[in-house]
Amino acid sequence: AQSVTQLGSHVSVSEGALVLLRCNYSSSVPPYLFWYVQYPNQGLQLLLKYTSAATLVKGINGFEAEFKKSETSFHLTKPSAHMSDAAEYFCAVTRGQAGTALIFGKGTTLSVSS
Amino acid sequence: DTGVSQDPRHKITKRGQNVTFRCDPISEHNRLYWYRQTLGQGPEFLTYFQNEAQLEKSRLLSDRFSAERPKGSFSTLEIQRTEQGDSAMYLCASSLGWGDEQYFGPGTRLTVT
């Protein structure tokens, strides 16, 4: 069965510092992987997705993620944090084929200090 | 295109009452999903529709929950005899079809007192 583990429920960085949010997945089939961001009292916004094409995926707002099959990882990075990046981030994997239900991790709250 | 909309945004109800939520997907999106999110957790899948057909239901969806998508457009999620454990954010998402990303609405926050 598919599952997602996000390492670190809370990550704090300084403005301008590297952002690294960790996600490991388990999947019995080639996975489709996603990162979503959620701002307070709002729905989820897609940052980027991996669908078996390029292993390095670029998303919105300067974020990118690298799919590493050997490590079963899909970590999210951004070279330079901005105050507006403070939010909750969720990694997700599709259960079965793409287009079916998403299985989410528990989320990582990113705090950015000036 | 105004995105996925949900109504109401907030609902406070007393235990034992019935509640109904509505979701309007992005027009022409064939797939519609319902998720539930509790505090400090990621969203959990409840059910999804392909057009008007309900293709899958999670075991989280007890007999008190029912979802419909008449005519393959908007969807409703009804909870009967609400319990305090039903307090959560209920999220709706839609996608164009197989392999496409899901776009989420703002959610309906339910509080059962």
Side-chain angles (χ1 to χ4, degrees):
Chain A
Q2 283 71 20
S3 66
V4 167
T5 301
Q6 291 186 241
L7 302 175
S9 60
H10 199 151
V11 171
S12 297
V13 300
S14 299
E15 192 171 22
L18 171 71
V19 175
L20 171 60
L21 304 182
R22 301 177 186 274
C23 172
N24 288 89
Y25 70 90
S26 172
S27 178
S28 56
V29 298
Y32 282 47
L33 293 158
F34 304 81
W35 275 100
Y36 283 85
V37 61
Q38 186 176 36
Y39 297 99
N41 299 314
Q42 294 187 28
L44 281 75
Q45 180 183 10
L46 180 69
L47 281 176
L48 48 81
K49 66 177 182 179
Y50 167 77
T51 57
S52 74
T55 57
L56 183 62
V57 182
K58 294 187 182 299
I60 63 171
N61 302 339
F63 285 94
E64 63 182 35
E66 186 173 7
F67 173 73
K68 291 187 176 180
K69 184 178 179 180
S70 61
E71 299 178 7
T72 61
S73 68
F74 190 58
H75 301 331
L76 181 71
T77 60
K78 182 174 180 177
S80 177
H82 192 272
M83 296 292 286
S84 61
D85 294 327
E88 189 152 22
Y89 292 79
F90 293 96
C91 182
V93 63
T94 51
R95 187 179 63 203
Q97 63 187 18
T100 57
L102 291 170
I103 298 171
F104 287 87
K106 292 189 175 182
T108 297
T109 300
L110 176 65
S111 300
V112 182
S113 58
S114 57
Chain B
D1 186 349
T2 58
V4 179
S5 61
Q6 294 186 244
D7 184 70
R9 295 291 307 276
H10 304 273
K11 179 71 176 179
I12 300 174
T13 191
K14 292 184 177 181
R15 187 176 55 187
Q17 298 294 305
N18 299 342
V19 294
T20 300
F21 310 142
R22 176 180 171 124
C23 170
D24 286 88
I26 294 172
S27 58
E28 297 182 355
H29 275 195
N30 297 319
R31 294 197 172 210
L32 187 148
Y33 308 79
W34 285 98
Y35 293 84
R36 182 175 68 186
Q37 184 179 22
T38 53
L39 200 61
Q41 301 294 319
E44 296 172 295
F45 167 73
L46 292 178
T47 187
Y48 88 93
F49 294 82
Q50 169 81 26
N51 297 315
E52 66 274 10
Q54 189 173 19
L55 296 186
E56 188 175 356
K57 294 192 291 185
S58 162
R59 63 178 182 276
L60 293 176
L61 212 66
S62 73
D63 292 345
R64 297 185 297 105
F65 288 70
S66 63
E68 294 182 342
R69 193 183 182 196
K71 303 178 183 178
S73 55
F74 71 92
S75 175
T76 58
L77 177 68
E78 181 183 16
I79 308 175
Q80 297 182 327
R81 305 181 303 282
T82 52
E83 302 173 355
Q84 288 190 321
D86 297 331
S87 295
M89 175 79 87
Y90 290 84
L91 295 165
C92 176
S94 69
S95 68
L96 186 59
W98 190 93
D100 296 304
E101 58 263 36
Q102 296 179 27
Y103 293 86
F104 282 79
T108 295
R109 182 169 295 282
L110 172 66
T111 302
V112 181
T113 62

